[in-house]
Amino acid sequence: MSDSSNETLADAPSDVAAVVSRLYVYPVKSCAGIRVEQAILLDTGLEFDRAWMVVDGQGSFLTQRELPRMALIKPQLKHFEMILRAPGMLALHIALDQVEAPARVRVWGDEVAAYDMGPLAAQWFTDFLGVPARLVRFDPEHKRISNLSWTGGIEALNQFSDGYPVLVISEASLVQFNAKLAAQGFAAVGMERFRPNIVLGDAAGGLELMPHDEDRLDLLQIATEQGPVRLKPVKPCPRCPIPNIDPATAVSSPEVGDLLQGYRQDARVNGAVTFGMNAIVLQGIDHLLRVGQSVGASYRFD
């Protein structure tokens, strides 16, 4: 949704004052993320977020659900290239401005236009994952739209995300989760398990965020140097087994998912367990998000 269509939006009320405490970008879907200090916001989410994806020989997407070793593939973004590293592998260099043959690929129920990244990348992923695999890049001319029933009819664009441009989680939600883990005798886990894009922390001198306040917020307004960014949380994020996977080792254990089952079943998504809120971009395309920026938010009452 373009900024021009939102020029009449009133300033968001601020029931909650917070800050952007962390930003994460996941260049290759289901591979490791990158914690960054700043990121440009596009209509599809943070720049380079899920711009690439790994597919099988039939063009269907591959994820940590079937291949936990994907967690060990670590991307690094440079000025002109993405560098991928994985245990026992030479680094793979992918130019940011080059693609190869057009392709059609599938992510969940969507068939989308993409570009194959060539035989060298395909061999690299095949060798590391042990299954036939290819790397593809999203075709920016293709319009992949979030579920309109959740966005209220707004055409929110995505690349290879599971379905929405931005995932928001609060620090308070993770603190509560780790306290519950500790009470059961388990070690704390990092925010990386939950793969957010924007993490909300407490503002100095403000009221503390409560766990899962992100579930209850109607609008987020982030103050940037270019003007306000407005994000609207629209759908709780249902959780698959990926949070069980330790991103440092790719070893899966059930305590994370088991704990979520105990207190995070959500009637809004037919009883699935949720953690974090999917959000869409209402205003602020091409603005620069930075860690430390102020966030004002209003509660939703419905």
Side-chain angles (χ1 to χ4, degrees):
M1 189 173 183
S2 68
D3 285 354
S4 61
S5 61
N6 287 280
E7 290 173 351
T8 60
L9 280 175
D11 286 343
S14 293
D15 299 328
V16 172
V19 296
V20 176
S21 61
R22 314 190 210 184
L23 292 167
Y24 292 92
V25 176
Y26 308 86
V28 183
K29 183 178 180 66
S30 221
C31 295
I34 305 171
R35 186 171 175 178
V36 297
E37 291 299 307
Q38 61 185 40
I40 296 172
L41 181 68
L42 306 178
D43 52 1
T44 56
L46 302 188
E47 186 178 29
F48 298 119
D49 191 64
R50 277 83 170 194
W52 292 268
M53 184 171 72
V54 186
V55 299
D56 64 15
Q58 288 71 50
S60 294
F61 75 117
L62 296 172
T63 78
Q64 290 183 38
R65 298 167 184 84
E66 304 83 24
L67 298 167
R69 280 169 63 81
M70 292 182 73
L72 302 178
I73 299 173
K74 300 184 183 300
Q76 181 182 15
L77 291 172
K78 296 287 193 178
H79 291 296
F80 304 108
E81 65 179 357
M82 174 176 65
I83 304 171
L84 296 169
R85 294 182 173 88
M89 302 291 291
L90 295 174
L92 176 65
H93 294 253
I94 300 291
L96 297 181
D97 61 352
Q98 294 179 15
V99 293
E100 295 203 13
R104 300 290 296 183
V105 297
R106 286 178 296 280
V107 52
W108 295 114
D110 298 334
E111 181 176 319
V112 302
Y115 289 99
D116 191 281
M117 297 305 297
L120 183 63
Q123 192 63 55
W124 193 91
F125 279 92
T126 297
D127 289 348
F128 182 69
L129 296 175
V131 298
R134 302 192 71 86
L135 182 67
V136 298
R137 184 165 184 175
F138 192 85
D139 181 349
E141 297 300 315
H142 183 89
K143 287 193 173 183
R144 181 169 176 249
I145 298 172
S146 298
N147 187 314
L148 295 173
S149 63
W150 284 101
T151 66
I154 296 171
E155 290 193 353
L157 301 180
N158 309 276
Q159 295 197 80
F160 288 132
S161 68
D162 277 353
Y164 298 86
V166 178
L167 179 61
V168 179
I169 298 178
S170 68
E171 299 280 5
S173 300
L174 181 67
V175 169
Q176 182 193 61
F177 182 81
N178 278 329
K180 291 178 179 290
L181 270 181
Q184 295 185 5
F186 295 109
V189 298
M191 186 65 81
E192 294 80 5
R193 296 267 188 145
F194 298 100
R195 302 176 69 80
N197 296 116
I198 299 174
V199 182
L200 302 178
D202 292 331
L207 295 175
E208 292 184 357
L209 289 170
M210 299 301 293
H212 302 289
D213 257 355
E214 60 269 26
D215 289 7
R216 299 178 280 273
L217 298 177
D218 182 57
L219 188 70
L220 303 176
Q221 180 169 287
I222 304 173
T224 77
E225 295 171 5
Q226 298 82 25
V229 162
R230 290 188 175 99
L231 305 175
K232 184 175 180 63
V234 294
K235 184 186 180 184
C237 182
R239 289 299 174 171
C240 64
I242 286 181
N244 284 332
I245 299 170
D246 184 339
T249 64
V251 174
S252 181
S253 53
E255 62 268 14
V256 172
D258 289 349
L259 179 56
L260 288 174
Q261 284 283 350
Y263 80 109
R264 287 297 300 168
Q265 293 189 17
D266 196 323
R268 293 172 293 178
V269 284
N270 300 318
V273 298
T274 65
F275 200 96
M277 283 292 290
N278 291 298
I280 61 175
V281 181
L282 295 185
Q283 186 170 350
I285 294 167
D286 293 330
H287 291 190
L288 185 65
L289 296 176
R290 295 180 187 270
V291 170
Q293 286 173 335
S294 298
V295 182
S298 58
Y299 285 115
R300 184 182 66 251
F301 297 97
D302 51 23

